Amino acid sequence: MTDALELDALWEDFHRVVNMTSQELAAWLRVRDADENAEPLPEEAGTPTGQHVLAILQKRRTDLTDDDIRVMYRVVDTVTAQTEPENEPDAEDTRRRHRLMTIGHDPLKP
């Protein structure tokens, strides 16, 4: 398990890079998976990682599991790598933006 200081830093980093609220992320996951005929059930919408991020957003820090911590590290690393200045998506880079939104980061959100 991660020590308290490391967990505090991870918690801060995770909530800095995940700039969508749980409501915004849940809505995005449903919209992303919807097709013209049906919308998925909320608990079935999105990727497993997106669902896990959503679950973490709804938890208190003291309730995190080792699995949650692994996902948080992966999300922080992914978003950090994808949003470095040379990789910063613009409005035209819709696919990359949508991939990042699936894990809770909207690069166009202030």
Side-chain angles (χ1 to χ4, degrees):
M1 184 77 172
T2 308
D3 71 29
L5 289 176
E6 191 175 344
L7 184 58
D8 287 346
L10 176 61
W11 182 262
E12 296 290 323
D13 287 344
F14 179 80
H15 283 88
R16 176 181 47 80
V17 301
V18 176
N19 63 358
M20 295 170 71
T21 65
S22 59
Q23 294 85 5
E24 289 170 330
L25 179 56
W28 167 250
L29 294 175
R30 284 192 310 275
V31 166
R32 180 188 166 274
D33 281 0
D35 64 24
E36 59 197 43
N37 298 318
E39 182 177 314
L41 296 172
E43 62 275 359
E44 295 175 3
T47 64
T49 302
Q51 282 293 323
H52 205 143
V53 169
L54 184 58
I56 292 168
L57 288 174
Q58 297 167 342
K59 288 185 175 189
R60 296 176 302 173
R61 185 181 340 202
T62 57
D63 296 332
L64 295 174
T65 65
D66 288 343
D67 241 8
D68 295 336
I69 291 168
R70 277 190 290 279
V71 168
M72 290 170 72
Y73 274 118
R74 188 170 57 222
V75 167
V76 169
D77 290 346
T78 299
V79 171
T80 301
Q82 291 292 313
T83 58
E84 291 178 355
E86 66 273 7
N87 294 328
E88 187 66 35
D90 57 22
E92 304 302 313
D93 195 354
T94 304
R95 287 183 58 207
R96 185 188 302 164
R97 178 179 181 228
H98 288 178
R99 278 194 314 270
L100 287 169
M101 287 173 66
T102 299
I103 58 172
H105 178 79
D106 184 351
L108 299 182
K109 188 175 180 179

